[in-house]
Amino acid sequence: MINSEAVVSIAVIGLIVSIGVGIPIAFSLLFITSAAVLHFWGPQGLLLLYSSVYGEGTNFLLLAIPLFIFMANMLKASGIANHLYDIIHKWFGNVPGGLAIGTVVMCAIFAAITGISSVATVTMGLISLPEMLKRGYNKTIAIGCINAGGALGILIPPSIIMVLYGAVSGASIGHLFMGGVIPGFILCGFYVLYIGIKCFFRPELGPPGKETYSIKEKVLALKAIALPILLIILVLGAMYFGIATPTEAAGIGALGAVVTSIVYKQFSWKELFKVARDSANLTCMIFWLIFGAQTFTSFLAYAGIQDMLQQYFLSLQVNKWIIMIFIQFVFFLLGMFLDPAGIILLTTPIFAPIVEKLGFDLVWFGILFTINMEMAYLTPPFGFNLFIMRGIAPSGVTMRDIYRSITPFVILQALCLALVMVFPEIALFLPKTMK
C-alpha cells in the first residue's frame, strides 16, 4: 500500500526541483511520473502512462485546439493587424486617452479573432505602444492597456484555455465560450472606463490628437476587420444555436480564415505552409503539456491522492464559499509561477469534483478560473504578458515601468472576478439560453 503523504511529498518536491533547474514543465511531469511509476509498480506500471496518453490524445474535443490555432494564425497572416492603428486613430485619436481606449477595444476584437493572449499583446504592442509614447502618453497607461487588453484573449471566445478546461473537467466547451462573452466585455468596459475617467481629469496622461474624421471615413476604416468579425460571429453562432460542436465550429473557422486570406489578397501557398508549420509547433507544445499533466494526475488518482484531497476538503466544517475563495487564492498563487494551461491540467482533476459536490456549476467555475488566469498573465514574477512586453517594448521602457503599469488593471480583474462570483448569472445567462 502506497503512503499517500509520501507520494505527494516526493512528487511535488521532484516537480519543483525539475522545473527549477530549467526542465520544461511538460517533460518535468513526464519524468517525475515515469520515475514514480517505475519505483512503485515496476515496468508494467508504464502501461498507466500509455493508456493515459492514448486516451487523451484521441479525445475528439481536443481536435478543436489545432483548428482554432490555425484559424488565429491564418487571420493574423491576412494582414488585418496593419489596419488596426488606422482604425484606432480615426475612431479614438481625438479623445483624451483615446489611443489607449482604442487599443483595449482592438485587443478585445483580436481576442475574439485569435483566442490566444500573446497574439494580441505582441500585435498591439508593436503597433500602438510606439505611437502612444511618441504622442506623450504616460507609460503606465500605454503599457498597462496593452498588457491587460491582450489578456482578454483567454476570456473572450474562442479560447484555447477554455477548450483545455472543458476537455479535462467535462464542462461543455460551447457553454464555456458563451459564458465568457459577458464577463469579457464587462472587463473590457472596466478598462475603458478607468482609462477614460483618469485621462478626462488628467489629459496630460493621454493627450488627445487634433485630427478629426467624418463618420464616413470612420466607417470605411472598419472594412478591414469586417470579414474576420463576421467569421467569429459565424463560429460562435454555430455553437450557440446548436448547429455545430466546438470542434466542428473550429473547422468552420479554419476554412473561413483561409477564405478571408484569399479575399484580402494575402493568400499564398508559402504563407499557408508557414501558418500550418507555426500552428503545428504550438499544438505540439500544448499536447506535450497535456500528456505530461494527464499522466501525472492519473498517477495521483491511482495512488489515491485525489480522493484523499477531495475527502479532506469536503469534510471541512466551513461554508462552501470559504472553500471556493481558497481555491481562487490557490489559482492566483500558482498563476505567479506556472502557465495557465499547466495549472488547468494539474488542478482541475482535483478541484472540479470538489466544486461539483459542493453544488457549484462547472461552467461558472471555469469562467472564474479563466478570469483568475488573466491576472496570472499580468502578475510578477513570471507573468507571461510582462515578458512579452519587455521583449517588444521600445528602448526607454524598463521592467519597473512594466510592473508598475499592471497594478490598476489587476485590481479591475479582481473586481470582475468578485462580481462574477457574487452574481453567477453574469457567466451563466448565455449558456442557459443555448440550444
Side-chain angles (χ1 to χ4, degrees), residues 112-140:
I113 291 173
T114 63
I116 305 171
S117 168
S118 58
V119 175
T121 305
V122 171
T123 302
M124 301 313 298
L126 292 173
I127 294 172
S128 294
L129 183 57
E131 290 295 329
M132 283 191 280
L133 295 178
K134 187 170 71 175
R135 288 171 177 262
Y137 270 63
N138 177 268
K139 287 182 182 179
T140 300

PDB file of all heavy atoms in Angstrom, residues 112-140:
ATOM      1  N   ALA A 112     -11.198  37.865 -29.784  1.00  0.00           N
ATOM      2  CA  ALA A 112     -12.216  37.039 -30.433  1.00  0.00           C
ATOM      3  C   ALA A 112     -11.677  36.393 -31.708  1.00  0.00           C
ATOM      4  O   ALA A 112     -12.104  35.296 -32.084  1.00  0.00           O
ATOM      5  CB  ALA A 112     -13.445  37.892 -30.755  1.00  0.00           C
ATOM      6  N   ILE A 113     -10.738  37.056 -32.356  1.00  0.00           N
ATOM      7  CA  ILE A 113     -10.180  36.527 -33.598  1.00  0.00           C
ATOM      8  C   ILE A 113      -9.191  35.402 -33.331  1.00  0.00           C
ATOM      9  O   ILE A 113      -9.145  34.410 -34.060  1.00  0.00           O
ATOM     10  CB  ILE A 113      -9.501  37.657 -34.405  1.00  0.00           C
ATOM     11  CG1 ILE A 113     -10.567  38.630 -34.948  1.00  0.00           C
ATOM     12  CG2 ILE A 113      -8.668  37.106 -35.552  1.00  0.00           C
ATOM     13  CD1 ILE A 113      -9.999  39.856 -35.602  1.00  0.00           C
ATOM     14  N   THR A 114      -8.391  35.529 -32.253  1.00  0.00           N
ATOM     15  CA  THR A 114      -7.286  34.594 -32.062  1.00  0.00           C
ATOM     16  C   THR A 114      -7.483  33.594 -30.926  1.00  0.00           C
ATOM     17  O   THR A 114      -7.076  32.442 -31.059  1.00  0.00           O
ATOM     18  CB  THR A 114      -5.980  35.365 -31.780  1.00  0.00           C
ATOM     19  OG1 THR A 114      -6.127  36.099 -30.552  1.00  0.00           O
ATOM     20  CG2 THR A 114      -5.676  36.339 -32.912  1.00  0.00           C
ATOM     21  N   GLY A 115      -8.071  34.021 -29.795  1.00  0.00           N
ATOM     22  CA  GLY A 115      -8.228  33.124 -28.653  1.00  0.00           C
ATOM     23  C   GLY A 115      -6.948  32.861 -27.896  1.00  0.00           C
ATOM     24  O   GLY A 115      -6.885  31.992 -27.039  1.00  0.00           O
ATOM     25  N   ILE A 116      -5.885  33.640 -28.217  1.00  0.00           N
ATOM     26  CA  ILE A 116      -4.584  33.454 -27.576  1.00  0.00           C
ATOM     27  C   ILE A 116      -4.100  34.806 -27.082  1.00  0.00           C
ATOM     28  O   ILE A 116      -4.057  35.777 -27.841  1.00  0.00           O
ATOM     29  CB  ILE A 116      -3.552  32.851 -28.559  1.00  0.00           C
ATOM     30  CG1 ILE A 116      -4.083  31.543 -29.159  1.00  0.00           C
ATOM     31  CG2 ILE A 116      -2.224  32.606 -27.859  1.00  0.00           C
ATOM     32  CD1 ILE A 116      -3.230  31.009 -30.282  1.00  0.00           C
ATOM     33  N   SER A 117      -3.712  34.902 -25.826  1.00  0.00           N
ATOM     34  CA  SER A 117      -3.319  36.171 -25.228  1.00  0.00           C
ATOM     35  C   SER A 117      -2.110  36.791 -25.907  1.00  0.00           C
ATOM     36  O   SER A 117      -2.073  37.986 -26.158  1.00  0.00           O
ATOM     37  CB  SER A 117      -3.021  35.967 -23.734  1.00  0.00           C
ATOM     38  OG  SER A 117      -2.386  37.091 -23.180  1.00  0.00           O
ATOM     39  N   SER A 118      -1.108  35.986 -26.206  1.00  0.00           N
ATOM     40  CA  SER A 118       0.160  36.531 -26.693  1.00  0.00           C
ATOM     41  C   SER A 118       0.022  37.233 -28.034  1.00  0.00           C
ATOM     42  O   SER A 118       0.740  38.194 -28.322  1.00  0.00           O
ATOM     43  CB  SER A 118       1.198  35.410 -26.804  1.00  0.00           C
ATOM     44  OG  SER A 118       0.739  34.389 -27.667  1.00  0.00           O
ATOM     45  N   VAL A 119      -0.906  36.761 -28.887  1.00  0.00           N
ATOM     46  CA  VAL A 119      -1.046  37.341 -30.220  1.00  0.00           C
ATOM     47  C   VAL A 119      -1.474  38.803 -30.123  1.00  0.00           C
ATOM     48  O   VAL A 119      -0.883  39.686 -30.762  1.00  0.00           O
ATOM     49  CB  VAL A 119      -2.061  36.541 -31.071  1.00  0.00           C
ATOM     50  CG1 VAL A 119      -2.298  37.231 -32.414  1.00  0.00           C
ATOM     51  CG2 VAL A 119      -1.562  35.122 -31.292  1.00  0.00           C
ATOM     52  N   ALA A 120      -2.506  39.085 -29.328  1.00  0.00           N
ATOM     53  CA  ALA A 120      -2.980  40.459 -29.184  1.00  0.00           C
ATOM     54  C   ALA A 120      -1.927  41.331 -28.513  1.00  0.00           C
ATOM     55  O   ALA A 120      -1.730  42.488 -28.903  1.00  0.00           O
ATOM     56  CB  ALA A 120      -4.277  40.491 -28.381  1.00  0.00           C
ATOM     57  N   THR A 121      -1.233  40.793 -27.515  1.00  0.00           N
ATOM     58  CA  THR A 121      -0.217  41.566 -26.802  1.00  0.00           C
ATOM     59  C   THR A 121       0.922  41.960 -27.732  1.00  0.00           C
ATOM     60  O   THR A 121       1.350  43.121 -27.756  1.00  0.00           O
ATOM     61  CB  THR A 121       0.342  40.758 -25.612  1.00  0.00           C
ATOM     62  OG1 THR A 121      -0.737  40.345 -24.775  1.00  0.00           O
ATOM     63  CG2 THR A 121       1.312  41.590 -24.798  1.00  0.00           C
ATOM     64  N   VAL A 122       1.415  41.007 -28.505  1.00  0.00           N
ATOM     65  CA  VAL A 122       2.516  41.290 -29.432  1.00  0.00           C
ATOM     66  C   VAL A 122       2.073  42.271 -30.512  1.00  0.00           C
ATOM     67  O   VAL A 122       2.750  43.267 -30.800  1.00  0.00           O
ATOM     68  CB  VAL A 122       3.036  39.982 -30.078  1.00  0.00           C
ATOM     69  CG1 VAL A 122       4.015  40.297 -31.204  1.00  0.00           C
ATOM     70  CG2 VAL A 122       3.705  39.105 -29.035  1.00  0.00           C
ATOM     71  N   THR A 123       0.914  41.998 -31.124  1.00  0.00           N
ATOM     72  CA  THR A 123       0.444  42.830 -32.229  1.00  0.00           C
ATOM     73  C   THR A 123       0.228  44.276 -31.795  1.00  0.00           C
ATOM     74  O   THR A 123       0.746  45.209 -32.412  1.00  0.00           O
ATOM     75  CB  THR A 123      -0.868  42.259 -32.809  1.00  0.00           C
ATOM     76  OG1 THR A 123      -0.640  40.912 -33.236  1.00  0.00           O
ATOM     77  CG2 THR A 123      -1.334  43.087 -33.996  1.00  0.00           C
ATOM     78  N   MET A 124      -0.539  44.470 -30.729  1.00  0.00           N
ATOM     79  CA  MET A 124      -0.835  45.826 -30.290  1.00  0.00           C
ATOM     80  C   MET A 124       0.384  46.486 -29.658  1.00  0.00           C
ATOM     81  O   MET A 124       0.538  47.713 -29.715  1.00  0.00           O
ATOM     82  CB  MET A 124      -2.000  45.829 -29.305  1.00  0.00           C
ATOM     83  CG  MET A 124      -3.296  45.241 -29.864  1.00  0.00           C
ATOM     84  SD  MET A 124      -3.732  45.865 -31.501  1.00  0.00           S
ATOM     85  CE  MET A 124      -3.943  47.592 -31.183  1.00  0.00           C
ATOM     86  N   GLY A 125       1.266  45.685 -29.065  1.00  0.00           N
ATOM     87  CA  GLY A 125       2.496  46.254 -28.514  1.00  0.00           C
ATOM     88  C   GLY A 125       3.388  46.831 -29.597  1.00  0.00           C
ATOM     89  O   GLY A 125       3.988  47.896 -29.423  1.00  0.00           O
ATOM     90  N   LEU A 126       3.470  46.145 -30.728  1.00  0.00           N
ATOM     91  CA  LEU A 126       4.304  46.625 -31.834  1.00  0.00           C
ATOM     92  C   LEU A 126       3.665  47.796 -32.572  1.00  0.00           C
ATOM     93  O   LEU A 126       4.361  48.688 -33.062  1.00  0.00           O
ATOM     94  CB  LEU A 126       4.569  45.477 -32.818  1.00  0.00           C
ATOM     95  CG  LEU A 126       5.451  44.331 -32.302  1.00  0.00           C
ATOM     96  CD1 LEU A 126       5.492  43.195 -33.304  1.00  0.00           C
ATOM     97  CD2 LEU A 126       6.862  44.833 -32.010  1.00  0.00           C
ATOM     98  N   ILE A 127       2.326  47.800 -32.642  1.00  0.00           N
ATOM     99  CA  ILE A 127       1.634  48.829 -33.416  1.00  0.00           C
ATOM    100  C   ILE A 127       1.335  50.069 -32.576  1.00  0.00           C
ATOM    101  O   ILE A 127       1.666  51.194 -32.962  1.00  0.00           O
ATOM    102  CB  ILE A 127       0.311  48.269 -33.992  1.00  0.00           C
ATOM    103  CG1 ILE A 127       0.592  47.182 -35.021  1.00  0.00           C
ATOM    104  CG2 ILE A 127      -0.515  49.383 -34.638  1.00  0.00           C
ATOM    105  CD1 ILE A 127      -0.638  46.451 -35.486  1.00  0.00           C
ATOM    106  N   SER A 128       0.711  49.891 -31.418  1.00  0.00           N
ATOM    107  CA  SER A 128       0.177  51.020 -30.658  1.00  0.00           C
ATOM    108  C   SER A 128       1.162  51.647 -29.686  1.00  0.00           C
ATOM    109  O   SER A 128       1.149  52.872 -29.490  1.00  0.00           O
ATOM    110  CB  SER A 128      -1.069  50.574 -29.879  1.00  0.00           C
ATOM    111  OG  SER A 128      -2.108  50.238 -30.748  1.00  0.00           O
ATOM    112  N   LEU A 129       1.991  50.827 -29.038  1.00  0.00           N
ATOM    113  CA  LEU A 129       2.852  51.368 -27.980  1.00  0.00           C
ATOM    114  C   LEU A 129       3.785  52.467 -28.479  1.00  0.00           C
ATOM    115  O   LEU A 129       3.854  53.547 -27.865  1.00  0.00           O
ATOM    116  CB  LEU A 129       3.641  50.241 -27.309  1.00  0.00           C
ATOM    117  CG  LEU A 129       4.529  50.663 -26.133  1.00  0.00           C
ATOM    118  CD1 LEU A 129       3.698  51.351 -25.052  1.00  0.00           C
ATOM    119  CD2 LEU A 129       5.258  49.455 -25.558  1.00  0.00           C
ATOM    120  N   PRO A 130       4.528  52.269 -29.580  1.00  0.00           N
ATOM    121  CA  PRO A 130       5.406  53.357 -30.048  1.00  0.00           C
ATOM    122  C   PRO A 130       4.642  54.641 -30.360  1.00  0.00           C
ATOM    123  O   PRO A 130       5.129  55.746 -30.076  1.00  0.00           O
ATOM    124  CB  PRO A 130       6.051  52.767 -31.312  1.00  0.00           C
ATOM    125  CG  PRO A 130       5.943  51.289 -31.152  1.00  0.00           C
ATOM    126  CD  PRO A 130       4.657  51.074 -30.430  1.00  0.00           C
ATOM    127  N   GLU A 131       3.435  54.502 -30.939  1.00  0.00           N
ATOM    128  CA  GLU A 131       2.643  55.684 -31.287  1.00  0.00           C
ATOM    129  C   GLU A 131       2.163  56.420 -30.040  1.00  0.00           C
ATOM    130  O   GLU A 131       2.181  57.649 -29.981  1.00  0.00           O
ATOM    131  CB  GLU A 131       1.443  55.279 -32.147  1.00  0.00           C
ATOM    132  CG  GLU A 131       1.812  54.827 -33.548  1.00  0.00           C
ATOM    133  CD  GLU A 131       2.428  55.946 -34.368  1.00  0.00           C
ATOM    134  OE1 GLU A 131       2.066  57.124 -34.143  1.00  0.00           O
ATOM    135  OE2 GLU A 131       3.278  55.660 -35.224  1.00  0.00           O
ATOM    136  N   MET A 132       1.721  55.671 -29.027  1.00  0.00           N
ATOM    137  CA  MET A 132       1.255  56.317 -27.801  1.00  0.00           C
ATOM    138  C   MET A 132       2.398  57.035 -27.097  1.00  0.00           C
ATOM    139  O   MET A 132       2.235  58.166 -26.621  1.00  0.00           O
ATOM    140  CB  MET A 132       0.602  55.283 -26.875  1.00  0.00           C
ATOM    141  CG  MET A 132      -0.797  54.875 -27.300  1.00  0.00           C
ATOM    142  SD  MET A 132      -1.677  53.903 -26.042  1.00  0.00           S
ATOM    143  CE  MET A 132      -0.970  52.282 -26.317  1.00  0.00           C
ATOM    144  N   LEU A 133       3.564  56.398 -27.026  1.00  0.00           N
ATOM    145  CA  LEU A 133       4.703  57.037 -26.372  1.00  0.00           C
ATOM    146  C   LEU A 133       5.163  58.268 -27.148  1.00  0.00           C
ATOM    147  O   LEU A 133       5.547  59.289 -26.552  1.00  0.00           O
ATOM    148  CB  LEU A 133       5.851  56.028 -26.231  1.00  0.00           C
ATOM    149  CG  LEU A 133       5.578  54.825 -25.307  1.00  0.00           C
ATOM    150  CD1 LEU A 133       6.779  53.885 -25.293  1.00  0.00           C
ATOM    151  CD2 LEU A 133       5.245  55.276 -23.892  1.00  0.00           C
ATOM    152  N   LYS A 134       5.109  58.183 -28.474  1.00  0.00           N
ATOM    153  CA  LYS A 134       5.504  59.318 -29.310  1.00  0.00           C
ATOM    154  C   LYS A 134       4.572  60.518 -29.103  1.00  0.00           C
ATOM    155  O   LYS A 134       4.985  61.669 -29.182  1.00  0.00           O
ATOM    156  CB  LYS A 134       5.515  58.898 -30.782  1.00  0.00           C
ATOM    157  CG  LYS A 134       6.067  59.964 -31.722  1.00  0.00           C
ATOM    158  CD  LYS A 134       6.270  59.390 -33.113  1.00  0.00           C
ATOM    159  CE  LYS A 134       4.952  59.134 -33.798  1.00  0.00           C
ATOM    160  NZ  LYS A 134       5.132  58.677 -35.211  1.00  0.00           N
ATOM    161  N   ARG A 135       3.301  60.252 -28.812  1.00  0.00           N
ATOM    162  CA  ARG A 135       2.325  61.319 -28.602  1.00  0.00           C
ATOM    163  C   ARG A 135       2.279  61.797 -27.154  1.00  0.00           C
ATOM    164  O   ARG A 135       1.395  62.563 -26.773  1.00  0.00           O
ATOM    165  CB  ARG A 135       0.937  60.830 -29.025  1.00  0.00           C
ATOM    166  CG  ARG A 135       0.781  60.706 -30.534  1.00  0.00           C
ATOM    167  CD  ARG A 135      -0.513  60.006 -30.878  1.00  0.00           C
ATOM    168  NE  ARG A 135      -0.715  59.950 -32.317  1.00  0.00           N
ATOM    169  CZ  ARG A 135      -1.479  60.789 -33.020  1.00  0.00           C
ATOM    170  NH1 ARG A 135      -2.123  61.763 -32.397  1.00  0.00           N
ATOM    171  NH2 ARG A 135      -1.607  60.666 -34.317  1.00  0.00           N
ATOM    172  N   GLY A 136       3.198  61.303 -26.339  1.00  0.00           N
ATOM    173  CA  GLY A 136       3.298  61.810 -24.971  1.00  0.00           C
ATOM    174  C   GLY A 136       2.449  61.086 -23.953  1.00  0.00           C
ATOM    175  O   GLY A 136       2.220  61.612 -22.851  1.00  0.00           O
ATOM    176  N   TYR A 137       1.971  59.892 -24.272  1.00  0.00           N
ATOM    177  CA  TYR A 137       1.162  59.132 -23.316  1.00  0.00           C
ATOM    178  C   TYR A 137       2.010  58.692 -22.132  1.00  0.00           C
ATOM    179  O   TYR A 137       3.191  58.343 -22.281  1.00  0.00           O
ATOM    180  CB  TYR A 137       0.557  57.904 -23.988  1.00  0.00           C
ATOM    181  CG  TYR A 137      -0.809  58.133 -24.611  1.00  0.00           C
ATOM    182  CD1 TYR A 137      -0.968  59.034 -25.670  1.00  0.00           C
ATOM    183  CD2 TYR A 137      -1.933  57.476 -24.154  1.00  0.00           C
ATOM    184  CE1 TYR A 137      -2.209  59.261 -26.247  1.00  0.00           C
ATOM    185  CE2 TYR A 137      -3.187  57.694 -24.720  1.00  0.00           C
ATOM    186  CZ  TYR A 137      -3.313  58.582 -25.763  1.00  0.00           C
ATOM    187  OH  TYR A 137      -4.539  58.809 -26.329  1.00  0.00           O
ATOM    188  N   ASN A 138       1.395  58.690 -20.968  1.00  0.00           N
ATOM    189  CA  ASN A 138       2.039  58.171 -19.777  1.00  0.00           C
ATOM    190  C   ASN A 138       2.352  56.686 -19.961  1.00  0.00           C
ATOM    191  O   ASN A 138       1.534  55.928 -20.467  1.00  0.00           O
ATOM    192  CB  ASN A 138       1.104  58.375 -18.576  1.00  0.00           C
ATOM    193  CG  ASN A 138       1.667  57.799 -17.297  1.00  0.00           C
ATOM    194  OD1 ASN A 138       1.408  56.654 -16.961  1.00  0.00           O
ATOM    195  ND2 ASN A 138       2.429  58.602 -16.573  1.00  0.00           N
ATOM    196  N   LYS A 139       3.559  56.271 -19.542  1.00  0.00           N
ATOM    197  CA  LYS A 139       3.985  54.878 -19.746  1.00  0.00           C
ATOM    198  C   LYS A 139       3.049  53.885 -19.066  1.00  0.00           C
ATOM    199  O   LYS A 139       2.757  52.814 -19.604  1.00  0.00           O
ATOM    200  CB  LYS A 139       5.406  54.684 -19.219  1.00  0.00           C
ATOM    201  CG  LYS A 139       6.489  55.304 -20.081  1.00  0.00           C
ATOM    202  CD  LYS A 139       7.854  55.005 -19.485  1.00  0.00           C
ATOM    203  CE  LYS A 139       8.960  55.660 -20.289  1.00  0.00           C
ATOM    204  NZ  LYS A 139      10.300  55.397 -19.711  1.00  0.00           N
ATOM    205  N   THR A 140       2.579  54.247 -17.856  1.00  0.00           N
ATOM    206  CA  THR A 140       1.708  53.337 -17.116  1.00  0.00           C
ATOM    207  C   THR A 140       0.424  53.042 -17.885  1.00  0.00           C
ATOM    208  O   THR A 140      -0.002  51.883 -17.983  1.00  0.00           O
ATOM    209  CB  THR A 140       1.362  53.938 -15.745  1.00  0.00           C
ATOM    210  OG1 THR A 140       2.563  54.147 -15.007  1.00  0.00           O
ATOM    211  CG2 THR A 140       0.449  53.005 -14.964  1.00  0.00           C
TER     212      THR A 140
END
